[in-house]
């Protein structure tokens, strides 16, 4: 095993700016004077913006946690859940469609992520080799797919012809390599020092092992970033799942949720057959049911969010994150 | 002869790399290039027995003579233009404001909060907005009532629904889109500000004379990129927020393709509409790329 340590990478200091004095960080300098009217106004405006971002989500949480005797009065301005209860969540998770949807979503996201990461890493590793014969042609062919596509109906026909309709594979493999994320990963991979790769080659590593044992581990920030993007993509995908997966038992959570939100009908959502088994959910008011579902769909994203947040805040991805 | 030998040698030397690349290229071929070829049904009548019949531009003529498609086309343009016009400057403004924040913890907390909506699906966002804008219980209408106004049924009002699109787009993307500008501001040389301070420039003048011109290339690049994707008025957003009361005002090309093509089974017509949009999009992207090269010497790609 070649000794790979994180500190073999060139030091990157995203906040280091030209003309900066030692030990000084940009946010320590050249701000408005503390306490000046303008700076107070800006802070207030920004705090208001943060409130606008968070409040609608918080409000859904409040409604989902409000007890049945108070739910009728709960509205957009309710700040604290009266008659606090977790029974709404319990009832929602007991609806077969919902827990199956949750499992389907987890399965599709996990399987999809594995395919995404393996394929994108393979592609990124090969395509950063400048002297590879045909590299420009391959890149051009990939970039063309970013600006022109066959469209929804030819996509659907492709699935039908591959006999993938109503199979999980249709949504797992959909957009298996996203060209934007491929390019992001290529940038990370090209920062891996050549000497490290050469050392591994001398040790007798083949290309596949160099990629997965050296390049991927030292580019973990890049892998984490595209994992978040791909993961969010799979978790949030509803449209392709809705048209490709024809049987309801295979629906991911987003499709189930869409049905409730768009149809606005509780009975159709729970399903006539399930009315007895899901008696708990049937008794719950529509808005609480919907709010609980929304929160259930958001929580997994918020769980993974902090791990990658630091890369966004420090601006390491500068210039590479326009979707 | 010699060239070919060198060629073969290089191919052989990199054989493992090509083997690694093969599945990736296969994916792009199957998932992207086969559907491009499949889009030829826009020029065909589909036959379930025997081969499809080539009919040229018949479906396109049908499309352009249809009042529904005309409406859908203009809806796409109007919604897209509204989004660019009212959304585009906001992340820039936000980046300027964030740049003025002294307190580092506040700055970090703020940044982590404002990126969150970008990661939510449009199904979730429309669920949240339907609730937020509901009448009269939603938070927005409660505020309107508090100030003595009359509640507005935003989601089902044809004069408001497009503004709901703009507002929800702002909610979702203002934070995320500001990242690029924050990064651009962070890379401006501090000497510039030093010199300006010596010259007695106020903070506001510095923002106007130094920061703004310095990030202009980024602003221009993002703007023309937006123009390039002008024909995507936001399928997921429209699809999840539309309802029968407002459909005539919000129906865009992408929702039309789905309805006509997949739901009503008019595959050729739907593909023709999608292809029409795709060709306009391609034209827009290629021309904005050319403009970008002229202005900044750098292409979009």
């Amino acid at each position: 095993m070649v000794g790979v340590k994180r500190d073999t990478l060139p030091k990157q200091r995203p906040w280091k700016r030209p003309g900066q004095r030692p030990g000084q960080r940009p946010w320590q300098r050249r701000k408005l004077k503390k306490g000046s009217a303008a700076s107070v106004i800006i802070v207030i405006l920004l705090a208001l913006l943060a409130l606008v971002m968070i409040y609608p989500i918080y409000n859904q949480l409040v409604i989902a946690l409000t007890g049945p005797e108070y739910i009728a009065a709960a509205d957009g301005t309710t700040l604290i859940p009266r008659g606090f209860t977790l029974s709404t969540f319990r009832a929602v998770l007991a609806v077969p469609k919902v827990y199956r949807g949750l499992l389907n979503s987890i399965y599709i996201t996990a399987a999809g992520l594995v395919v995404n990461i393996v394929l994108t890493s393979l592609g990124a590793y090969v395509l950063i080799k400048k002297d590879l014969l045909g590299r420009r042609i391959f890149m051009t062919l990939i970039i063309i797919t970013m600006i022109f596509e066959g469209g929804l109906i030819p996509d659907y026909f492709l699935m039908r012809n591959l006999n993938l309709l109503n199979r999980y594979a249709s949504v797992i493999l959909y957009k298996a390599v996203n060209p934007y994320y491929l390019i992001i990963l290529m940038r990370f991979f090209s920062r891996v020092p050549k000497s490290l790769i050469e050392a591994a080659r001398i040790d007798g590593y083949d290309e596949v092992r160099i990629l997965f044992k050296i390049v991927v581990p030292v580019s973990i920030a890049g892998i984490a970033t595209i994992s978040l993007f791909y993961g969010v993509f799979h978790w949030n995908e509803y449209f392709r799942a809705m048209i490709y997966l024809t049987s309801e038992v295979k629906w991911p959570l987003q499709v189930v949720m869409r049905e409730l939100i768009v149809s606005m009908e509780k009975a159709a959502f729970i399903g006539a057959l399930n009315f007895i088994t899901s008696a708990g959910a049937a008794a719950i008011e529509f808005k609480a049911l919907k709010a609980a579902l929304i929160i259930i769909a958001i929580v997994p994203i918020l769980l993974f969010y902090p791990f990658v947040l630091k890369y966004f805040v420090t601006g390491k991805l500068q210039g590479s994150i326009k979707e | 002869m010699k060239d070919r030998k060198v060629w073969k040698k290089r191919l052989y030397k990199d054989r493992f790399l090509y083997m690694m690349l093969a599945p990736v290229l296969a994916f792009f071929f199957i998932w992207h290039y086969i559907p491009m070829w499949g889009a030829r049904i826009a020029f065909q009548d589909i036959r379930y027995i025997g081969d499809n019949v080539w009919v040229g531009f018949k479906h396109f003529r049908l499309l352009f003579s249809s009042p529904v498609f005309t409406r859908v086309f203009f809806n796409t343009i109007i919604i897209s233009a509204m989004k660019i016009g009212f959304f585009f400057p906001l992340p820039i403004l936000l980046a300027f404001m964030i740049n003025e924040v002294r307190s580092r913890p506040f700055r970090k907390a703020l940044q982590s909060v404002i990126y969150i909506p970008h990661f939510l699906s449009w199904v979730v966002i429309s669920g949240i907005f339907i609730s937020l804008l509901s009448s009269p219980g939603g938070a927005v209408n409660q505020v309107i009532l508090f100030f003595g106004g009359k509640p507005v049924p935003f989601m089902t009002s044809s004069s408001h629904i497009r503004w709901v699109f703009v507002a929800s787009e702002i909610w979702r993307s203002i934070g995320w889109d500001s990242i690029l500008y924050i990064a651009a501001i962070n890379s401006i040389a501090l000497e510039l500000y030093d010199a300006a301070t010596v010259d007695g420039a106020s903070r506001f003048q510095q923002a106007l004379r130094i920061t703004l011109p310095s990030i202009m290339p980024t602003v221009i690049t993002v703007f023309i990129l937006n123009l390039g994707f002008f024909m995507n008025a936001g399928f997921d957003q429209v699809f999840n927020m539309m309802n029968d009361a407002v459909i005539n005002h919000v129906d865009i090309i992408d929702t039309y393709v789905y309805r006509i093509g997949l739901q009503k089974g008019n595959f050729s017509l739907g593909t023709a509409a999608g292809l029409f949009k795709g060709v306009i999009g391609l034209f827009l992207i290629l021309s904005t790329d050319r403009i970008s090269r002229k202005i900044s010497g750098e292409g979009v790609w």
Side-chain angles (χ1 to χ4, degrees):
Chain A
M1 179 67 203
V2 188
V4 181
K5 282 185 199 141
R6 208 66 95 61
D7 57 13
T8 48
L9 272 181
K11 289 265 185 301
Q12 296 156 14
R13 296 195 167 159
W15 38 263
K16 183 102 177 160
R17 296 155 93 180
Q20 188 177 319
R21 279 159 224 148
Q24 223 169 25
R25 300 180 178 198
W27 53 81
Q28 291 172 329
R29 304 191 53 220
R30 249 169 283 285
K31 305 290 149 182
L32 288 170
K33 275 207 196 86
K34 206 173 177 179
S36 75
S39 84
V40 171
I41 291 172
I42 284 177
V43 167
I44 291 174
L45 283 177
L46 289 175
L48 272 176
L49 180 76
L51 190 71
V52 168
M53 294 294 171
I54 278 304
Y55 182 75
I57 303 174
Y58 173 75
N59 185 240
Q60 294 297 311
L61 182 66
V62 169
I63 291 173
L65 292 174
T66 299
E69 59 274 41
Y70 299 101
I71 190 71
D75 64 13
T77 50
T78 312
L79 294 177
I80 294 159
R82 294 179 70 195
F84 180 92
T85 176
L86 287 173
S87 61
T88 311
F89 281 104
R90 244 178 269 133
V92 169
L93 286 171
V95 177
K97 247 187 200 172
V98 174
Y99 66 71
R100 267 198 313 254
L102 203 54
L103 291 177
N104 286 335
S105 281
I106 292 170
Y107 173 62
I108 291 168
T109 305
L113 256 182
V114 172
V115 176
N116 294 147
I117 298 303
V118 170
L119 280 183
T120 311
S121 302
L122 284 172
Y125 178 69
V126 177
L127 290 170
I128 56 167
K129 306 276 177 202
K130 291 237 158 51
D131 55 347
L132 187 83
L133 208 62
R135 176 177 172 273
R136 281 187 71 92
I137 301 170
F138 299 145
M139 278 315 286
T140 310
L141 285 175
I142 289 171
I143 286 172
I144 286 173
T145 67
M146 294 161 87
I147 59 177
F148 189 75
E149 47 190 25
L152 175 65
I153 294 158
D155 274 4
Y156 180 81
F157 279 179
L158 172 72
M159 289 301 137
R160 204 181 63 182
N161 294 339
L162 291 176
N163 204 11
L164 285 180
L165 283 186
N166 206 23
R167 286 171 197 253
Y168 288 117
S170 63
V171 275
I172 289 172
L173 295 177
Y174 173 62
K175 288 208 172 158
V177 181
N178 182 322
Y180 293 93
Y181 306 161
L182 178 74
I183 291 170
I184 291 179
L185 198 61
M186 281 169 68
R187 291 187 192 183
F188 277 97
F189 279 5
S190 58
R191 286 195 209 134
V192 177
K194 290 256 157 26
S195 54
L196 209 61
I197 293 171
E198 282 315 310
R201 197 160 283 143
I202 291 165
D203 278 10
Y205 273 39
D206 56 44
E207 298 289 353
V208 178
R209 276 207 288 172
I210 292 176
L211 168 60
F212 288 107
K213 296 233 157 126
I214 314 278
V215 177
V216 167
V218 284
S219 310
I220 202 70
I223 299 288
T225 305
I226 66 161
S227 297
L228 176 83
F229 291 160
Y230 277 128
V232 168
F233 163 73
H234 284 297
W235 186 261
N236 286 344
E237 176 57 44
Y238 69 96
F239 184 62
R240 299 289 163 157
M242 193 179 101
I243 58 176
Y244 294 158
L245 302 176
T246 40
S247 65
E248 277 186 16
V249 284
K250 293 187 175 170
W251 279 2
L253 188 63
Q254 300 285 339
V255 181
V256 174
M257 189 164 54
R258 192 189 127 78
E259 196 193 38
L260 179 77
I261 289 170
V262 171
S263 75
M264 303 267 237
E265 227 194 283
K266 201 166 67 174
F269 166 69
I270 294 170
L273 283 175
N274 295 322
F275 233 94
I276 302 153
T277 49
S278 314
I284 288 169
E285 190 149 331
F286 175 75
K287 62 181 167 192
L289 212 60
K290 196 182 98 177
L293 257 187
I294 287 176
I295 298 299
I296 291 171
I298 294 178
V299 163
I301 289 176
L302 292 188
L303 284 182
F304 287 102
Y305 181 62
F307 293 105
V308 263
L309 183 65
K310 55 182 177 206
Y311 305 119
F312 305 139
V313 174
T314 51
K316 260 186 194 164
L317 292 175
Q318 102 185 44
S320 60
I321 40 171
K322 185 69 199 172
E323 265 182 77
Chain B
M1 234 12 232
K2 204 180 160 201
D3 274 2
R4 184 170 290 175
K5 241 183 188 165
V6 177
W7 235 60
K8 273 190 177 164
K9 223 174 155 184
R10 280 176 71 185
L11 284 179
Y12 182 76
K13 182 182 84 73
D14 288 335
R15 63 192 182 284
F16 292 113
L17 291 178
Y18 288 110
M19 275 148 79
M20 289 163 79
L21 190 62
V24 180
L25 292 179
F27 162 78
F28 278 104
F29 178 74
I30 295 172
W31 249 257
H32 290 273
Y33 283 93
I34 292 182
M36 280 185 208
W37 173 236
R40 73 190 186 284
I41 58 168
F43 304 96
Q44 295 174 331
D45 271 343
I46 292 179
R47 293 278 179 278
Y48 291 95
I49 302 160
D51 289 340
N52 292 344
V53 184
W54 197 265
V55 293
F57 285 91
K58 176 184 145 191
H59 297 294
F60 290 90
R61 275 197 299 273
L62 213 62
L63 210 57
F64 298 143
S65 61
S66 131
V68 179
F69 185 74
T70 314
R71 191 174 64 213
V72 160
F73 180 73
F74 282 109
N75 278 344
T76 308
I77 290 176
I78 293 168
I79 292 171
S80 233
M82 281 173 76
K83 278 197 200 164
I84 292 187
F86 292 95
F87 169 74
F88 182 76
L90 297 179
I92 306 172
L93 196 68
L94 178 62
F96 272 88
M97 286 166 68
I98 290 177
N99 189 46
E100 299 297 342
V101 174
R102 283 176 143 262
S103 148
R104 209 178 150 225
F106 178 72
R107 192 187 161 110
K108 274 190 102 169
L110 181 77
Q111 279 180 287
S112 43
V113 166
I114 60 178
Y115 301 155
I116 290 176
H118 175 81
F119 295 100
L120 307 184
S121 75
W122 276 109
V123 179
V124 167
I125 296 176
S126 58
I128 289 175
F129 267 74
I130 289 169
S131 160
L132 188 71
L133 298 174
S134 67
S135 172
V140 173
N141 275 316
Q142 289 289 312
V143 172
I144 292 177
L145 279 171
F146 180 80
F147 287 108
K150 263 175 70 180
V152 183
F154 292 99
M155 299 304 294
T156 50
S157 150
S158 51
S159 52
H160 289 93
I161 186 73
R162 286 172 182 161
W163 294 106
V164 174
F165 292 161
V166 175
S168 51
E169 184 66 47
I170 294 174
W171 188 75
R172 184 180 120 103
S173 301
I174 187 172
W176 186 253
D177 284 17
S178 72
I179 295 183
L180 273 177
Y181 303 118
I182 292 173
I185 292 175
N186 276 344
S187 62
I188 301 171
L190 289 172
E191 283 98 339
L192 286 176
Y193 294 103
D194 280 332
T197 316
V198 171
D199 289 349
S202 75
R203 188 61 214 178
F204 182 70
Q205 282 172 320
Q206 288 179 23
L208 215 61
R209 298 279 163 80
I210 301 174
T211 317
L212 192 60
S214 304
I215 66 165
M216 222 43 201
T218 312
V219 173
I220 292 172
T221 310
V222 176
F223 185 71
I224 53 188
L225 208 64
N226 276 333
L227 283 187
F229 290 101
F230 192 77
M231 295 307 282
N232 295 338
F235 172 79
D236 294 322
Q237 179 186 35
V238 174
F239 188 60
N240 286 305
M241 289 189 170
M242 75 176 177
N243 49 62
D244 291 343
V246 295
I247 188 164
N248 288 343
H249 288 79
V250 301
D251 204 13
I252 57 173
I253 297 180
D254 287 325
T255 48
Y256 176 80
V257 169
Y258 172 66
R259 204 175 52 247
I260 292 292
L262 282 188
Q263 280 188 319
K264 296 195 179 155
N266 210 331
F267 299 119
S268 294
L269 198 63
T271 310
L275 208 58
F276 176 66
K277 181 206 140 195
V279 169
I280 296 182
L282 189 66
F283 171 76
L284 284 174
I285 292 169
L286 294 181
S287 33
T288 51
D289 183 62
R290 182 147 297 174
I291 297 169
S292 159
R293 269 175 220 280
K294 271 216 178 109
I295 296 177
S296 59
E298 215 179 304
V300 173
W301 307 105

